[in-house]
Amino acid sequence: MALINGDIRLSGLGGSVRRPAVAGSFYPADPGKLAGTLKVLLAQVHPEGEGTPKILIAPHAGYVYSGPVAASAYALLRPQAEQIRRVILLGPAHRVALRGLAVPSVDRFRTPLGDIPLDRAAIETLADLPQVRVNDAAHEQEHSLEVHLPFLQTLLPEF
């Protein structure tokens, strides 16, 4: 276990973990309740049209406020969910001022539904870009990416 920027990280076999910061406030912390919430939100959506989008723009507020709209975006992934393997998330930083992109140093992001491995090799390819910085503080209490992860875990078998 290590303390990095005030955040406790687990290390060992699976590497370091960014623990959920807003589970229990922006979405349910209990895995069963979270899975049930996502099931209801996604069941209420029946997207029209064909094809799977390459880019989604979805809100990142608490599920009580933005859950139905986020579900309408993520439901568009259903037709190709088995084929989607890589997801790139971009979101704003609400608590830490920064310029450019803040990438985390951790190996996994955790939600109540389990851990999501990060593609460290892909992240490392960004290291030489002047606008990219490793900045764990920007991720510690940030919700903008975290609230999307349970939707992805529910819809995509492996990513």
Side-chain angles (χ1 to χ4, degrees), residues 2-10 16-23 25-27 91-98 102-106 108-111 118 133-147 149:
L3 186 64
I4 301 173
N5 294 327
D7 187 29
I8 296 176
R9 302 277 165 68
L10 302 175
S16 56
V17 176
R18 188 268 189 192
R19 294 178 183 225
V22 296
S25 58
F26 278 57
Y27 61 89
H94 292 88
R95 297 176 181 264
V96 174
L98 55 96
V103 296
S105 68
V106 297
R108 297 173 286 142
F109 273 24
R110 178 168 294 158
T111 78
L118 301 185
R133 302 271 188 276
V134 174
N135 186 335
D136 288 319
H139 292 274
E140 282 179 22
Q141 295 300 313
E142 184 54 57
H143 66 276
S144 67
L145 303 182
E146 181 181 331
V147 297
L149 299 175

Side-chain angles (χ1 to χ4, degrees), residues 50-110:
E50 294 182 24
T52 303
K54 297 284 186 190
I55 297 172
L56 289 179
I57 298 174
H60 61 265
Y63 288 6
V64 68
Y65 303 109
S66 68
V69 176
S72 69
Y74 282 105
L76 296 169
L77 301 179
R78 279 187 190 132
Q80 297 297 317
E82 296 286 329
Q83 286 75 42
I84 297 171
R85 295 288 180 263
R86 174 165 290 173
V87 174
I88 299 169
L89 292 175
L90 298 174
H94 292 88
R95 297 176 181 264
V96 174
L98 55 96
R99 287 181 186 254
L101 302 174
V103 296
S105 68
V106 297
D107 298 315
R108 297 173 286 142
F109 273 24
R110 178 168 294 158

Side-chain angles (χ1 to χ4, degrees), residues 99-103 123 125-135:
R99 287 181 186 254
L101 302 174
V103 296
I123 292 170
T125 65
L126 304 174
D128 291 335
L129 297 174
Q131 70 272 28
V132 176
R133 302 271 188 276
V134 174
N135 186 335

Side-chain angles (χ1 to χ4, degrees), residues 25-48:
S25 58
F26 278 57
Y27 61 89
D30 176 83
K33 288 182 182 177
L34 177 55
T37 297
L38 291 164
K39 183 178 180 179
V40 167
L41 288 170
L42 291 164
Q44 295 172 352
V45 180
H46 304 287
E48 295 180 18

